Amino acid sequence: MKNVILLRYGEIHLKGKNRSFFENILFQNLQKSLAGIDCKVSRISGRYLVSDYDQRITSQVIEKCKKVFGFVSLSPAWEVDTSIENIKDAAMDLVQDISMIHAHKPLTFKVKTKRADKKFPVPSDEFSAQMGEFVLENFDGFLVKMQGYDIELNIDIREHGKTYVFWQKIDCLGGMPVGSAGSGLLMLSGGIDSPVAGYMMAKRGLKLSALHFHSYPYTSIQAREKVLDLAKILTNYTGGEITVYMVPFTRIQEQIHQKCSPNYMINIMRRIMFRIAERLCVHNKIQTVVTGENLGQVASQTIESLTNTNSVMQTIPVMRPLIAFDKIDIIKIAEEIGTYNTSILPYEDCCTVFLPENPIIKPSIKNSQIQEQALDIDALIADALENIEVLKIKP
Ligand code: ATP
Ligand code: MG
């Protein structure tokens, strides 16, 4: 008898001819997320299996597996060489566990057998019935119930001579395997929204890099550490490392502050941020930019502002997964994924340096262009790009 974890995927089932492409990426991502844990990862017809790990760290292995996008559920299971005796042994063990976990009795249960291996001599329904009898004979306080039962005891008899016996089904995060939908550059501030936006796009299969604009020395070392900490939390979900591009923004901000109207300051800042993001994407073959923007949240996120800043992008699309979310729902996700407590640390962001009192709410593109004439935008961008710091954040 061997402890294993059985993992099931979701949407990939819909992929028809391309399925193996997604399956392979999912397999690699599972391996990556378990790197550093002594275990074996394998595939059995449409399922994945983690085995040969130290039983004492089962819950740690489960936590890691749960976060691999693409899986919808997992079950800790006993793997046995297929035989009626072995299956009974495994069932005995599981029912003992169940008895301890669920103190209240009577406990209702149902046995469900899946017989992929037709060489196994007993048909599924008949075997379920036999196993039900077996449990009733050996344990007090159990009742068979076909609908609305407390426990489902699963017996999965596979073609390769192994059977899996389990009762728990633990939800995973779903989504698509990271990397299966291309690559994205997350504009990562130290706020609440952008890490959530990154999480959501990674969940749809984007492989993430991150870009942060800092205004050192106006912004502190702690503000920088905070952003790197957020990137690190995101690696819990992306499996592999995240490249973070740290872009010096101080000179650009000083120039805007000196030369542009205060009410256009944020607008011009954001237009330059997007231009830099686009250049980085093109240079590094990244396919899209991701932001935490949200319709109506602040002056720079009115439809006019979004249209205005978006207009500087020439070839790279911007994805804004939070566009229609209420703040309270974004906060809920931030708490669930573990970024919230870091995001609310009170370190200033570059956008709060030289903050104007009345940012324009409906900036016209024409006026933005006029404001920009006071700046040598190409030189400023070139200078910022030359001084980028590239960091690899490991899980
Ligand atoms: P967040 O909570 O993500 O900081 P916000 O509500 O504060 O968002 P803004 O400050 O207007 O909104 O920023 C909108 C988006 O622009 C952010 O979600 C992020 O994607 C990007 N952004 C803002 N500041 C920075 C920065 N310093 N570096 C990189 N990206 C940034
Ligand atoms: Mg912000």
Side-chain angles (χ1 to χ4, degrees):
M1 245 173 17
K2 191 156 108 175
N3 261 115
V4 299
I5 294 165
L6 263 182
L7 291 131
R8 307 173 190 85
Y9 53 62
E11 252 180 85
I12 295 176
H13 281 297
L14 307 173
K15 291 295 169 191
K17 269 189 284 179
N18 289 331
R19 198 154 103 186
S20 63
F21 166 78
F22 292 91
E23 286 177 337
N24 290 338
I25 295 180
L26 185 56
F27 185 69
Q28 286 162 15
N29 290 353
L30 180 59
Q31 277 180 319
K32 263 192 236 162
S33 83
L34 293 170
I37 290 180
D38 195 12
C39 65
K40 194 175 141 203
V41 180
S42 49
R43 274 160 76 168
I44 44 161
S45 58
R47 304 272 179 88
Y48 293 72
L49 201 66
V50 181
S51 61
D52 299 273
Y53 50 86
D54 183 343
Q55 255 194 67
R56 287 167 299 184
I57 59 160
T58 302
S59 56
Q60 190 191 336
V61 179
I62 289 177
E63 276 314 303
K64 293 223 179 248
C65 291
K66 262 166 79 172
K67 295 194 177 88
V68 178
F69 290 136
F71 290 114
V72 289
S73 69
L74 63 80
S75 296
W78 279 121
E79 180 189 81
V80 297
D81 291 328
T82 300
S83 77
I84 294 176
E85 272 319 298
N86 287 344
I87 294 172
K88 281 185 174 167
D89 284 348
M92 281 288 272
D93 192 274
L94 281 190
V95 178
Q96 249 149 24
D97 276 356
I98 296 167
S99 248
M100 286 204 299
I101 294 169
H102 294 268
H104 77 278
K105 300 279 174 351
L107 209 55
T108 57
F109 77 104
K110 173 190 162 168
V111 180
K112 188 169 155 195
T113 305
K114 266 199 208 153
R115 188 179 60 134
D117 179 5
K118 300 296 175 207
K119 292 197 303 292
F120 187 74
V122 192
S124 301
D125 286 348
E126 203 179 314
F127 193 62
S128 293
Q130 282 181 18
M131 288 302 292
E133 286 287 313
F134 173 73
V135 171
L136 293 174
E137 278 164 18
N138 286 280
F139 292 89
D140 290 332
F142 281 81
L143 289 176
V144 171
K145 196 173 175 193
M146 296 320 274
Q147 244 151 33
Y149 41 80
D150 301 318
I151 302 287
E152 185 175 75
L153 185 63
N154 289 271
I155 298 169
D156 205 353
I157 305 167
R158 314 296 302 191
E159 283 111 331
H160 65 303
K162 305 281 183 196
T163 294
Y164 300 90
V165 188
F166 57 92
W167 65 280
Q168 282 172 303
K169 212 172 193 181
I170 298 169
D171 285 341
C172 299
L173 294 172
M176 294 298 283
V178 168
S180 66
S183 55
L185 180 64
L186 170 65
M187 289 175 62
L188 182 61
S189 70
I192 295 169
D193 303 333
S194 46
V196 173
Y199 167 86
M200 288 180 68
M201 293 316 298
K203 186 172 174 191
R204 285 313 300 165
L206 274 194
K207 178 176 162 42
L208 292 184
S209 318
L211 160 62
H212 177 71
F213 298 95
H214 66 84
S215 307
Y216 189 77
Y218 298 107
T219 54
S220 60
I221 293 290
Q222 288 98 320
R224 170 195 163 94
E225 288 307 311
K226 174 181 172 181
V227 169
L228 298 179
D229 286 346
L230 289 170
K232 198 168 182 81
I233 297 170
L234 288 177
T235 63
N236 285 330
Y237 305 93
T238 57
E241 63 182 21
I242 292 183
T243 302
V244 180
Y245 300 94
M246 291 295 224
V247 182
F249 210 55
T250 315
R251 230 189 108 210
I252 294 175
Q253 274 184 295
E254 285 171 344
Q255 289 280 309
I256 299 173
H257 184 58
Q258 281 168 24
K259 297 181 175 162
C260 303
S261 303
N263 59 338
Y264 266 83
M265 208 182 144
I266 289 192
N267 169 251
I268 305 299
M269 259 172 55
R270 298 195 61 78
R271 288 167 60 93
I272 297 181
M273 283 182 177
F274 275 115
R275 288 185 179 101
I276 291 175
E278 180 160 53
R279 301 269 178 99
L280 261 183
C281 282
V282 171
H283 190 255
N284 294 289
K285 300 197 164 55
I286 301 172
Q287 294 164 294
T288 185
V289 168
V290 177
T291 78
E293 287 166 310
N294 170 272
L295 188 61
Q297 199 182 76
V298 288
S300 59
Q301 298 177 16
T302 60
I303 190 76
E304 291 83 0
S305 290
L306 292 169
T307 307
N308 179 309
T309 47
N310 199 68
S311 70
V312 303
M313 302 296 278
Q314 288 167 354
T315 55
I316 300 287
V318 181
M319 300 203 167
R320 302 176 174 89
L322 304 183
I323 198 72
F325 276 54
D326 288 353
K327 192 75 183 187
I328 193 167
D329 297 320
I330 300 173
I331 289 175
K332 235 184 258 165
I333 302 177
E335 285 172 340
E336 276 162 23
I337 67 177
T339 53
Y340 183 72
N341 287 335
T342 303
S343 287
I344 59 172
L345 293 173
Y347 307 122
E348 63 299 316
D349 180 69
C350 79
C351 296
T352 52
V353 179
F354 313 118
L355 194 71
E357 272 181 18
N358 295 307
I360 185 140
I361 292 169
K362 299 181 177 186
S364 78
I365 294 178
K366 187 116 194 283
N367 283 341
S368 298
Q369 287 164 344
I370 292 169
Q371 292 289 325
E372 284 176 352
Q373 281 166 11
L375 304 168
D376 187 347
I377 296 226
D378 288 339
L380 287 172
I381 291 178
D383 182 53
L385 286 171
E386 243 168 59
N387 291 294
I388 272 185
E389 193 187 346
V390 184
L391 300 164
K392 305 270 181 195
I393 305 299
K394 295 209 185 321

